[in-house]
Amino acid sequence: CTLRVDEKLGLTLSQGGVVQAVEPGGQGDAWGILPGSKIVTVGLEDVQGLMKRMYEATGEKVTPLNVIRMEWRRKGEELKKCLDEGRDASDVEFCPISYIKPMFKVKHDQKRIAHYRTKGGVPPAPIQEPGDTQP
């Protein structure tokens, strides 16, 4: 999903980058991100790859949460700089993130499809919700 960097994510994350809570009415809620989802990329950058590069550059270990916060802050500063200089900011005002749905949601979809198969019907297509990264 693609989120605005000038607005709060509306997510409470654990140190491991797992969504603990979703703020009602926030960006995460609007995209259908569920508690238990794991953030895997921020701004097209793999969280694990960012962690590795930061460790190599500084020698200090960082958590996925710290990497996500730093990348989000960097994107916000980039947007502010564009706006302050009067440049077009349309290419920096949004930041894509991807996440893995919590396993209970995936299992629920699998059970729903299996139920239709046992009844002899054609299973419905999985429901696509805003923010879904898997079919």
Side-chain angles (χ1 to χ4, degrees):
C1 60
T2 304
L3 305 172
R4 295 188 58 87
V5 296
D6 57 347
E7 296 177 15
K8 289 175 45 179
L9 281 171
L11 303 173
T12 302
L13 302 172
S14 71
Q15 289 295 321
V18 175
V19 176
Q20 299 296 306
V22 180
E23 184 179 305
Q27 292 191 86
D29 184 36
W31 278 96
I33 299 174
L34 300 171
S37 298
K38 183 174 183 173
I39 306 297
V40 291
T41 65
V42 178
L44 303 178
E45 294 277 351
D46 175 65
V47 170
Q48 296 298 319
L50 284 168
M51 288 173 54
K52 182 179 178 184
R53 285 200 305 277
M54 288 180 168
Y55 177 73
E56 289 170 351
T58 65
E60 295 179 24
K61 290 186 178 183
V62 294
T63 65
L65 175 62
N66 291 340
V67 168
I68 293 165
R69 282 182 177 162
M70 285 186 270
E71 188 64 14
W72 193 258
R73 191 174 301 124
R74 187 183 70 74
K75 292 284 187 185
E77 289 168 358
E78 191 177 340
L79 172 63
K80 185 180 181 318
K81 184 178 177 182
C82 281
L83 295 174
D84 288 347
E85 295 173 358
R87 293 186 287 134
D88 177 34
S90 59
D91 60 334
V92 295
E93 64 184 325
F94 296 99
C95 180
I97 68 167
S98 63
Y99 61 93
I100 299 170
K101 283 191 218 178
M103 205 56 198
F104 70 84
K105 170 76 169 127
V106 173
K107 287 182 179 179
H108 172 74
D109 287 346
Q110 290 169 344
K111 285 180 183 177
R112 183 172 52 82
I113 290 170
H115 171 75
Y116 280 92
R117 285 195 177 129
T118 60
K119 301 296 179 197
V122 177
I127 299 168
Q128 286 292 331
E129 301 171 18
D132 273 356
T133 57
Q134 304 172 11

